[in-house]
């Protein structure tokens, strides 16, 4: 018989994950999930899913973080909020978080290049990069203005490409790095009832971009995966749902788990993809959608 490694009988209480009981500042987890000593960068990080990814990184030990977003003031405000939330609560040591907050328009190659230049000047390296900046718009295809379609592709597809390429330029010489492109379940399904053909196609492009770059860089130590969320409650979806509770009910009804996701529900997935926990995974899509694509 193999002896159980878990406590039994009277002592069989759940193993504690609180800092006091574990005798450490951080909750216990598999060491490979740690982002300690890694420089993590997120685009579109001032709010929404991108901001949640930053929180997941800090909670996993990252102390060198880069927040990129369209407006400098939004990025800096988000950085301040994160410092106050984590250092203020004592969850991480005071003055231990080193957050670089910069304006960056991912649809501009020059803007992305300039941002990475500043990142390398400050931190000397970048280990985990998440391309989360993205937009969605709902127009029937017959009425979709051409300039808006181009703008959407510039942000969602070209933005993801510029971000990944700039990251890889710095990761390849060091032979290591993990890049995550935020796609969507819309890469697989056609959302109903709202019309958003170009968005769906842009997310399918992002997913395939991740696989294609993954193969190109597989032997250079750089991994690229995509993360495809289902309906999550963020500013982006709140804008679509504004005043339309019927649409929210419809989305929930179509999701096997019967609800929209909380951005928090993606924390485990992003830490898995960016950390060494997934070190043999590249070119893959991780879907977190309450079962939407399963039916
Ligand atoms: N919320 C969802 O239900 C959902 C589902 C699937 C996929 N996604 C994807 O997740 C990503 C994040 O979505 P979200 O819900 O957090 O959106 P959000 O609108 O709440 O946040 C997006 C962030 O990106 C920034 N941004 C927009 N254009 C930019 C640009 N050109 N350069 C830099 N930053 C820019 C915005 O300022 C904002 O801070 C998007 O790529 C979206 O397509 C979201």
């Amino acid at each position: 018989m193999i002896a159980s490694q878990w406590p039994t009988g009277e002592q069989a209480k759940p193993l504690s994950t609180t800092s006091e009981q574990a005798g450490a500042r951080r909750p216990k987890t598999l060491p490979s999930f740690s982002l300690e000593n890694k420089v993590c960068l997120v685009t579109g990080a001032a709010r929404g899913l991108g901001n949640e990814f930053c929180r997941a990184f800090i909670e996993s030990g990252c102390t060198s973080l880069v927040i990129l977003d369209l407006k400098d003031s939004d990025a800096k405000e988000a950085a301040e909020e994160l410092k106050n939330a984590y250092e203020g609560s004592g969850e991480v040591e005071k003055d231990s978080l080193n957050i670089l907050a910069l304006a960056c328009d991912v649809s501009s190659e020059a803007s992305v290049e300039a941002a990475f230049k500043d990142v390398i000047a400050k931190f000397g390296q970048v280990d985990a990069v998440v391309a989360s900046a993205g937009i969605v718009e709902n127009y029937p295809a017959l009425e979709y203005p051409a300039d808006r379609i181009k703008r959407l592709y510039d942000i969602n597809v070209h933005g993801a490409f510029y971000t990944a390429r700039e990251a890889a330029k710095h990761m390849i010489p060091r032979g290591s790095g993990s890049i995550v492109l935020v796609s969507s379940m819309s890469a697989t399904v056609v959302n109903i009832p709202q019309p958003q053909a170009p968005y769906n196609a842009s997310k399918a492009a992002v997913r395939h971009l991740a696989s294609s770059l993954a193969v190109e860089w597989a032997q250079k130590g750089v991994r690229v995966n995509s993360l495809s969320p289902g309906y999550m409650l963020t500013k982006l979806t709140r804008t679509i749902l504004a005043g339309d509770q019927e649409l929210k009910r419809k989305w929930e009804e179509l999701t096997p788990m019967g609800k929209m996701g909380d951005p928090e529900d993606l924390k485990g997935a992003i830490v898995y993809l960016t950390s060494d926990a997934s070190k043999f995974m590249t070119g893959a899509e991780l879907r977190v959608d309450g079962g939407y694509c399963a039916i």
Side-chain angles (χ1 to χ4, degrees):
M1 199 182 97
I2 299 169
S4 166
Q5 62 175 309
W6 307 111
T8 52
E10 274 293 278
Q11 278 79 38
K13 295 186 182 112
L15 289 176
S16 162
T17 53
T18 66
S19 38
E20 301 87 351
Q21 286 159 305
R25 289 191 69 79
R26 300 210 165 276
K28 270 199 180 302
T29 185
L30 277 178
S32 57
F33 281 85
S34 171
L35 288 165
E36 270 176 273
N37 303 318
K38 301 218 177 185
V39 179
C40 301
L41 176 153
V42 184
T43 70
R47 67 173 200 220
L49 303 185
N51 193 262
E52 205 63 33
F53 298 148
C54 293
R55 289 167 194 269
F57 290 153
I58 293 172
E59 288 167 29
S60 302
C62 165
T63 52
S64 302
L65 183 68
V66 184
I67 291 180
L68 302 183
D69 213 296
L70 262 185
K71 277 206 206 148
D72 191 62
S73 56
D74 288 349
K76 294 209 160 46
E77 208 175 291
E80 210 42 47
E81 260 174 34
L82 289 179
K83 269 183 91 67
N84 290 339
Y86 287 94
E87 291 181 355
S89 67
E91 205 167 323
V92 302
E93 269 170 42
K94 198 152 174 31
D95 298 326
S96 64
L97 288 181
N98 206 349
I99 307 181
L100 178 63
L102 297 172
C104 172
D105 176 356
V106 298
S107 68
S108 150
E109 185 185 13
S111 177
V112 175
E113 277 173 0
F116 272 84
K117 205 164 161 226
D118 288 354
V119 171
I120 300 303
K122 181 168 174 73
F123 293 117
Q125 67 191 67
V126 62
D127 302 284
V129 166
V130 183
S132 187
I135 60 163
V136 66
E137 286 175 325
N138 297 148
Y139 287 99
L142 293 176
E143 292 154 28
Y144 213 127
D147 59 332
R148 299 205 73 87
I149 299 175
K150 286 188 177 133
R151 179 171 159 268
L152 181 129
Y153 278 92
D154 271 344
I155 297 171
N156 291 9
V157 183
H158 304 145
F161 182 80
Y162 299 144
T163 304
R165 180 166 64 181
E166 219 41 46
K169 281 185 198 166
H170 300 285
M171 290 172 172
I172 288 172
R174 296 178 60 235
S176 95
S178 174
I179 299 169
V180 178
L181 306 186
V182 179
S183 175
S184 165
M185 68 172 181
S186 310
T188 301
V189 295
V190 175
N191 304 64
I192 51 169
Q194 72 280 16
Q196 50 180 46
Y199 175 81
N200 298 345
S202 79
K203 289 298 169 175
V206 167
R207 182 183 60 187
H208 203 52
L209 188 59
S211 308
S212 307
L213 295 175
V215 172
E216 212 168 308
W217 300 332
Q219 303 210 358
K220 300 183 193 299
V222 177
R223 300 186 296 112
V224 192
N225 291 291
S226 57
L227 173 62
S228 289
Y231 287 124
M232 316 297 295
L233 256 180
T234 63
K235 178 101 190 267
L236 178 139
T237 43
R238 279 201 177 93
T239 310
I240 300 173
L241 291 173
D244 194 347
Q245 281 309 297
E246 191 41 48
L247 182 59
K248 182 164 185 275
R249 264 195 297 281
K250 180 96 193 148
W251 286 0
E252 289 171 342
E253 206 178 283
L254 287 165
T255 305
M257 287 181 84
K259 58 181 180 183
M260 290 183 69
D262 185 309
E264 277 232 352
D265 299 337
L266 296 172
K267 278 182 171 173
I270 201 68
V271 169
Y272 171 64
L273 290 174
T274 47
S275 68
D276 291 346
S278 61
K279 68 179 164 41
F280 192 52
M281 182 173 176
T282 198
E285 176 190 27
L286 183 53
R287 274 197 326 244
V288 183
D289 64 358
Y292 199 107
C293 291
I295 50 170

